[in-house]
Amino acid sequence: MPSSPSRASFCRPAISSASAVAISSPRRHWTSLPARANATLRLIDAYDFEVDLANGWLRARLATHAGYRTVQTLPGVGPTLAAVFVAEIGEVDRFSDAAHLCSWAGMTPRHRESDTKVHRGRITKQGSTLVRWAAIEAVQRIPSGSWLTSTRAAITERRGRNIATVAVARRLLTLVYYGLRDGEIRSLRRGKAAA
C-alpha cells in the first residue's frame, strides 16, 4: 500500500497563511479607525438634528392640546406617556364611551359564551400595542399614596399582581378617555376638593 502524505503537511501551509492574514488585517483597519469614527459622529450629529427638529414640532403641536395637559395630571403619566396617548388614540370622539376605548386598546378580557356557559379569559391584546404599553407603564410608575395604588393593592390581594396591574391600567385608560374628551377629569377634581 502506498504511503499517504501526512495530514500535517496539508494543514501547515494553511495555518501559516491564515495567521498571516489575521495578523495583518487589524493593522490595516486601525489606520482607518479615526476616519470611520469621524464619519459615525457626523451621522450621529445629523440624526440628532432631525430628532431635535421633530421634538420641536411635537412640542409646539402638543402645547395647544388641552387633553395632553389634562392627561399629565393623572398619577404616573408624564409628558412622554401623555404624548403616546394623544398620538395613538387620536380623535377620542370616535369612541362612544370609555369601555369602547379600553376594548380598542385590547385591555378587556376575552368573552366566550355558548348557551349558558360563559368563559372570561385573558385580555384580548387586539388593539394598539403602544396604548397598552403606555397604560401599563403609567401604572408601574404610580407614586405610593395615590388612590390608584390602594386600588391596585386591594385587587392584588384577591387576584394577583399581574391581574391587578391590568385592572388599574384599564381604570387609568378610562380616565385618559375622559381627559381627552372633556379636557378635564372630574373625578380627580372631586377627590382634591374633598381632601
Side-chain angles (χ1 to χ4, degrees):
M1 181 171 194
S3 67
S4 62
S6 71
R7 187 174 167 99
S9 64
F10 285 112
C11 295
R12 197 168 307 277
I15 290 173
S16 64
S17 65
S19 62
V21 170
I23 291 171
S24 67
S25 294
R27 287 186 186 148
R28 187 176 59 218
H29 293 297
W30 286 346
T31 58
S32 65
L33 191 60
R36 288 181 184 201
N38 287 334
T40 304
L41 290 174
R42 285 192 305 273
L43 283 173
I44 290 172
D45 289 341
Y47 285 126
D48 282 344
F49 174 76
E50 293 297 327
V51 167
D52 291 341
L53 189 68
N55 280 340
W57 181 80
L58 284 172
R59 280 194 187 105
R61 183 95 188 245
L62 291 172
T64 59
H65 197 283
Y68 173 72
R69 291 188 305 274
T70 304
V71 169
Q72 287 185 52
T73 62
L74 292 170
V77 179
T80 304
L81 294 179
V84 169
F85 284 131
V86 168
E88 281 295 307
I89 294 171
E91 292 297 320
V92 78
D93 297 333
R94 63 190 171 133
F95 303 106
S96 59
D97 58 0
H100 282 91
L101 173 63
C102 292
S103 178
W104 172 81
M107 298 287 289
T108 55
R110 286 188 192 278
H111 183 86
R112 296 193 187 110
E113 188 173 340
S114 175
D115 196 22
T116 59
K117 292 185 179 183
V118 176
H119 174 72
R120 286 193 175 262
R122 300 171 183 258
I123 61 172
T124 59
K125 294 186 179 180
Q126 298 229 337
S128 171
T129 307
L130 280 174
V131 170
R132 235 182 357 265
W133 169 81
I136 296 292
E137 188 69 25
V139 169
Q140 300 290 349
R141 295 171 166 256
I142 292 176
S144 60
S146 171
W147 63 273
L148 285 172
T149 307
S150 60
T151 303
R152 183 177 178 190
I155 297 172
T156 300
E157 255 180 50
R158 289 180 290 128
R159 303 290 312 267
R161 191 176 120 242
N162 291 338
I163 292 175
T165 302
V166 172
V168 173
R170 192 168 37 247
R171 290 186 185 181
L172 186 79
L173 196 55
T174 300
L175 295 176
V176 166
Y177 171 80
Y178 292 119
L180 291 176
R181 186 189 71 178
D182 302 335
E184 66 176 343
I185 302 172
R186 292 184 200 102
S187 63
L188 290 181
R189 193 178 59 196
R190 271 187 256 132
K192 287 180 184 176

